[in-house]
Amino acid sequence: MDEIGVLLMRPLSNYIQQELAKRFTLFKYWEIPSESLKLHSDIIRAVVGNGVQGANSALIDSLPRLEIVSSHSSGLDKIDLVKCKERGIRVTSTPNGPTDDVADMAILLAIATLRRICVADRFVRNGIWQEKDFNLTAKFSGKSVGIVGLGRIGSAIAKRAEAFGCPISYHSRTQKPESTYTYYSHVIDLASNCQILVVACALTDETHHIINREVIDALGPNGIVINIARGSHIDEPELVSALAEGRLGGAGLDGLEHEPEVPTQLASLDNVVLSPHTAAGTVETRREMADLVIANLEAYFSNKPLLTPVL
């Protein structure tokens, strides 16, 4: 398969770069000038992207022999699926690999936000503990948790939260008949009836800014929002103003709307815990995801069924 060109869009792990290079002719998008990319477009038949950079319409149009996009992500919002379908380009993702890590991160962010772990860490490191006691914080166990999106990750979050004695409710496009959790058909109603609101849905046109001012106000000054999905799920200026004004109790965010840029005011707030979109960023999971990306490519170019097809 070494005559098949694969375009890697982002500098992912050394492991996936090495494994791709063993099997294919590897092109690294960040190292190739656009003019040079055109010279290789006749042999590039596959693209490997992730949740930051995938295959948009312009890239697809520039690669006339593109046959498959194998995404190193469970999200698909960085891939022009309509264009891929029109061109007959196959698409795969890594839907299951990140589930445990992302669910773990949701619980971590919730506890860290409620217990002000980052503030407490600075309190100790800066020697303030020698002068006074740390302020009391809020407990996690037993608090009501509302989940936006009860898919694989949302369900894994619910299972973990249940272990802490948290009542679970959720919102999704349709009610899950097999679920025993309380269902709300509107996000505002979900926010009004929980203390911790967790965003775990896919980013689509419908879910863009699904967490807006009305939802934030429904959650209220004692509520917190946790986002382990995409930054654009939340209307960021509204979130920042609510946190600064005390209309929202806190936030734990693994993604931002215009990442890696961080609003100055958001970064200055003590009631926020920030993570650089690394919920699935463990050695174990990234290797599992890399192996699945490569396995899908090998299956496709060997005329075998794809392991995790999207298109």
Side-chain angles (χ1 to χ4, degrees):
M1 295 183 183
D2 57 359
E3 75 283 359
I4 297 169
V6 173
L7 179 63
L8 181 62
M9 298 302 296
R10 298 277 296 177
L12 303 176
S13 66
N14 289 332
Y15 173 75
I16 193 171
Q17 294 184 49
Q18 292 166 0
E19 294 302 310
L20 286 171
K22 287 178 184 177
R23 296 164 172 80
F24 307 100
T25 299
L26 180 62
F27 298 95
K28 300 176 182 180
Y29 184 78
W30 64 97
E31 293 181 354
I32 303 176
S34 56
E35 298 79 12
S36 298
L37 183 60
K38 292 178 183 177
L39 297 175
H40 300 295
S41 63
D42 60 333
I43 69 166
I44 294 176
R45 297 169 62 190
V47 165
V48 174
N50 69 350
V52 176
Q53 195 168 11
N56 60 22
S57 179
L59 180 76
I60 293 170
D61 285 341
S62 71
L63 300 173
R65 296 196 64 199
L66 181 62
E67 299 175 36
I68 182 171
V69 177
S70 188
S71 180
H72 188 273
S73 172
S74 58
L76 299 167
D77 54 288
K78 299 300 182 181
I79 302 172
D80 190 329
L81 295 175
V82 173
K83 178 76 73 170
C84 287
K85 192 170 184 178
E86 290 174 353
R87 283 265 306 267
I89 297 167
R90 302 301 305 271
V91 177
T92 65
S93 65
T94 55
N96 297 316
T99 299
D100 284 338
D101 283 347
V102 177
D104 290 349
M105 179 65 88
I107 301 301
L108 184 157
L109 286 172
I111 295 175
T113 302
L114 289 165
R115 300 303 301 269
R116 303 290 176 93
I117 292 298
C118 295
V119 179
D121 180 84
R122 294 193 297 271
F123 186 87
V124 174
R125 293 177 187 272
N126 294 335
I128 305 173
W129 193 15
Q130 298 174 8
E131 303 169 8
K132 59 181 180 179
D133 292 334
F134 191 66
N135 291 337
L136 297 179
T137 59
K139 70 185 297 184
F140 172 70
S141 295
K143 279 196 164 46
S144 53
V145 174
I147 301 173
V148 182
L150 198 68
R152 281 181 299 270
I153 292 173
S155 297
I157 293 168
K159 181 178 179 181
R160 285 157 172 76
E162 279 189 297
F164 287 87
C166 298
I168 308 297
S169 55
Y170 73 100
H171 164 79
S172 61
R173 286 174 295 180
T174 57
Q175 187 170 358
K176 309 292 184 183
E178 72 282 359
S179 174
T180 59
Y181 306 138
T182 302
Y183 172 71
Y184 292 98
S185 58
H186 299 288
V187 179
I188 290 179
D189 294 333
L190 177 68
S192 298
N193 288 279
C194 71
Q195 296 163 291
I196 302 168
L197 186 65
V198 183
V199 185
C201 56
L203 180 61
T204 64
D205 291 340
E206 291 75 21
T207 62
H208 179 266
H209 283 188
I210 193 171
I211 310 302
N212 54 26
R213 185 185 181 97
E214 290 76 17
V215 173
I216 291 169
D217 286 345
L219 191 55
N222 295 318
I224 68 168
V225 63
I226 303 298
N227 188 10
I228 44 74
R230 293 287 191 260
S232 295
H233 282 116
I234 299 178
D235 186 331
E236 201 164 88
E238 290 290 351
L239 174 70
V240 174
S241 63
L243 289 165
E245 296 165 12
R247 291 185 290 110
L248 181 66
L253 309 172
D254 185 53
L256 298 174
E257 189 163 13
H258 304 291
E259 58 190 50
E261 296 181 16
V262 185
T264 302
Q265 189 177 16
L266 183 67
S268 69
L269 296 172
D270 283 344
N271 55 348
V272 179
V273 176
L274 300 173
S275 173
H277 208 149
T278 56
T282 64
V283 172
E284 297 88 347
T285 290
R286 288 293 170 85
R287 180 156 185 155
E288 181 181 342
M289 292 167 67
D291 287 341
L292 183 54
V293 165
I294 294 164
N296 272 310
L297 291 175
E298 289 183 318
Y300 176 80
F301 289 113
S302 300
N303 295 316
K304 295 179 181 178
L306 297 175
L307 282 71
T308 51
V310 175
L311 289 177

